[in-house]
Amino acid sequence: SIKAIESPNKTDDTTWLTYWVVYGFFSIAESFSDIFLYWFPFYYAGKCLFLVWCMAPVTWNGSQVLYQNLIRPCFLKHHETVDKVLGNLGTKA
């Protein structure tokens, strides 16, 4: 999905690809932190509001904000390493 977002051919699917990238990172982080966070009152309501913010059809939605400020800079810094690792996994498989 990140490769599709960063490709020069932009279409309207970029919005949803951005959402799915952010949702994937959120799901990974949540799998580690959910064991502690579910004890907090209104955790699931806050989680629901966060996901609605990520899907909101506005220019400042959560997916765009988080992708542009956190995920994209990290990806651009490490994309060559990720490509090498995935290439090695592909040849070994």
Side-chain angles (χ1 to χ4, degrees):
S1 293
I2 292 175
K3 290 288 189 179
I5 294 169
E6 295 301 322
S7 70
N9 186 11
K10 301 286 184 187
T11 58
D12 62 348
D13 60 346
T14 302
T15 301
W16 286 109
L17 287 172
T18 305
Y19 169 76
W20 286 114
V21 168
V22 171
Y23 182 78
F25 275 89
F26 173 74
S27 294
I28 291 169
E30 183 186 33
S31 68
F32 295 110
S33 64
D34 192 39
I35 196 165
F36 303 109
L37 293 178
Y38 80 94
W39 289 95
F40 287 106
F42 305 109
Y43 166 68
Y44 291 105
K47 177 180 167 182
C48 183
L49 288 173
F50 171 76
L51 293 174
V52 168
W53 176 57
C54 285
M55 291 185 286
V58 293
T59 57
W60 47 269
N61 73 14
S63 296
Q64 294 295 325
V65 170
L66 293 173
Y67 180 77
Q68 293 296 332
N69 294 323
L70 297 174
I71 297 170
R72 187 172 189 268
C74 183
F75 172 74
L76 292 177
K77 187 184 337 180
H78 301 291
H79 79 324
E80 292 174 0
T81 306
V82 171
D83 287 343
K84 287 178 187 175
V85 169
L86 292 178
N88 290 338
L89 287 175
T91 57
K92 289 180 182 179

